[in-house]
Amino acid sequence: MSRRNATLKAIIDVILYENPSTQDEIAKKLGITRRYVTKLLRPLIRKGVVKRAYMVDLQRFEEFADVFGEEVTSREYAGSFFIKELLRDMAGHVCKQLEKSFQALADYDKELADEALRMDYVTNHMHEKIRSSVDTAIAMNPYSEFGRAVVFTEIAYDLERIGDHSGIIANFTVKEAYPVDPEIMDYLRRMYETAVRMVKKAMKAFLNEKLELRDDVMKLEKEMHRIQRKALNCIATQMAETSFDKKERSTYYISLSRIVKTFERIGDISVEIVDTAVEFYMNIPRTTTPERFRRL
């Protein structure tokens, strides 16, 4: 995307989500001149896509989607790619949060763990922004295709839950008195790598209508549970061989088991996301059977 189009997209983002009253206000928020704002908005104002002061006609904006290089899916509708862009950014942030949390665990780095925990504030803000954007879109035209956009709120909530699970991983490093045993860490690393792949594939399935990725996600889910069983067996073996002279040592193994469960839950959420994608694009209802019972 050219710098000009990137700036125009930023301007429209401000109009959609920050409700500016004047072009001066838009210019100040973005650190650019009012004249440049006027120049970029003039064609959209002339076409009636942007209305003073200042609103975007989302029903007409799809005419300009190609300006931003957006991939329009078979079920796309006007303006939805703005919310998808927010979801894409949130997914990237949550993956970085998960990466930092795991790296803190692997290195027993308390400062890095604190950084990962602070990232959760941004995750929560992103969730709230998406929820607010969907509410605004539906309120503008409750009888349009935007009624289906409530699904975007569900995906944002799923991503927020993954952020919460990342916090559990980071908290281990902050609170526990011992670093993770290398043998157990090997299993946790494999679970982490599997979880990240599941999240990325599930989000790609939803954002780009790549529904064929569901098979990949389900294969990774089986791998996740295979590693999980080995990890829990390893933890149980070490517990049986350990003397619990110190209270910290007993909580250490309980916390490790919780981390194993955390990676499993991230995998489960990824399955939920990809199932939501299938329902969203293909109108195939998701199963009401809880995921944990489907595995029995």
Side-chain angles (χ1 to χ4, degrees):
M1 185 186 300
S2 69
R3 178 176 296 182
R4 176 191 176 97
N5 287 344
T7 303
L8 178 57
K9 190 168 185 178
I11 290 171
I12 293 170
D13 188 71
V14 170
I15 293 172
L16 280 171
Y17 306 117
E18 301 190 36
N19 303 312
S21 299
T22 65
Q23 291 188 8
D24 284 326
E25 188 177 343
I26 297 171
K28 185 176 180 180
K29 287 181 180 293
L30 296 176
I32 57 180
T33 66
R34 180 186 182 280
R35 179 176 296 182
Y36 193 40
V37 172
T38 301
K39 178 181 178 181
L40 294 183
L41 282 181
R42 186 178 294 120
L44 277 71
I45 292 173
R46 189 183 305 121
K47 293 283 189 179
V49 177
V50 173
K51 302 176 181 179
R52 301 179 187 272
Y54 275 95
M55 293 179 61
V56 175
D57 186 343
L58 294 174
Q59 297 301 321
R60 296 195 59 194
F61 199 83
E62 63 184 354
E63 302 169 23
F64 294 84
D66 58 335
V67 171
F68 303 116
E70 297 292 340
E71 181 179 349
V72 180
T73 65
S74 65
R75 295 258 175 182
E76 196 66 274
Y77 48 87
S80 67
F81 52 78
F82 279 105
I83 301 176
K84 281 191 173 183
E85 189 72 12
L86 294 176
L87 280 172
R88 186 173 284 107
D89 290 345
M90 186 178 182
H93 175 81
V94 166
C95 284
K96 289 178 181 177
Q97 182 183 351
L98 180 56
E99 177 185 5
K100 188 165 288 190
S101 296
F102 178 78
Q103 197 57 52
L105 180 73
D107 297 342
Y108 196 54
D109 187 331
K110 293 182 183 293
E111 289 186 7
L112 190 60
D114 283 333
E115 289 180 26
L117 290 170
R118 286 194 293 271
M119 290 179 74
D120 202 46
Y121 291 105
V122 178
T123 300
N124 294 337
H125 175 73
M126 287 178 158
H127 173 229
E128 180 58 28
K129 185 174 182 179
I130 292 169
R131 187 197 64 76
S132 176
S133 300
V134 170
D135 288 347
T136 299
I138 294 174
M140 289 175 64
N141 192 345
Y143 303 107
S144 73
E145 274 289 300
F146 270 117
R148 299 173 67 246
V150 69
V151 171
F152 294 157
T153 304
E154 292 183 33
I155 300 297
Y157 174 64
D158 287 337
L159 291 172
E160 184 187 39
R161 289 161 62 203
I162 293 173
D164 291 341
H165 285 299
S166 297
I168 293 173
I169 299 168
N171 265 318
F172 178 95
T173 304
V174 172
K175 296 180 178 180
E176 290 301 319
Y178 305 96
V180 179
D181 173 83
E183 184 180 6
I184 296 176
M185 178 56 71
D186 180 62
Y187 289 116
L188 295 182
R189 184 178 299 280
R190 288 157 62 188
M191 293 189 78
Y192 158 73
E193 291 171 351
T194 303
V196 170
R197 291 175 65 191
M198 291 181 74
V199 173
K200 290 183 176 180
K201 284 180 178 290
M203 287 304 300
K204 186 174 182 180
F206 181 79
L207 293 172
N208 299 332
E209 197 179 351
K210 301 292 185 182
L211 303 184
E212 65 273 14
L213 291 174
R214 186 181 188 279
D215 290 341
D216 292 347
V217 172
M218 300 310 294
K219 288 177 183 177
L220 288 168
E221 184 198 29
K222 291 181 180 179
E223 175 67 7
M224 176 72 80
H225 291 297
R226 187 184 68 82
I227 303 170
Q228 178 193 25
R229 288 191 293 271
K230 291 187 175 182
L232 291 176
N233 285 337
C234 184
I235 292 171
T237 299
Q238 289 196 14
M239 285 182 67
E241 296 173 348
T242 300
S243 172
F244 294 102
D245 296 332
K246 296 181 180 180
K247 179 181 177 181
E248 293 87 352
R249 203 63 184 172
S250 60
T251 62
Y252 164 83
Y253 287 111
I254 294 173
S255 297
L256 274 181
S257 299
R258 191 180 183 196
I259 289 178
V260 171
K261 182 65 177 178
T262 290
F263 283 124
E264 180 206 23
R265 285 300 300 130
I266 292 173
D268 290 346
I269 293 169
S270 299
V271 173
E272 291 173 18
I273 291 172
V274 81
D275 282 347
T276 300
V278 172
E279 179 181 62
F280 184 73
Y281 293 111
M282 303 295 292
N283 288 324
I284 300 175
R286 283 166 281 177
T287 178
T288 57
T289 304
E291 194 279 336
R292 63 182 180 277
F293 293 121
R294 280 184 272 153
R295 296 198 302 267
L296 297 177

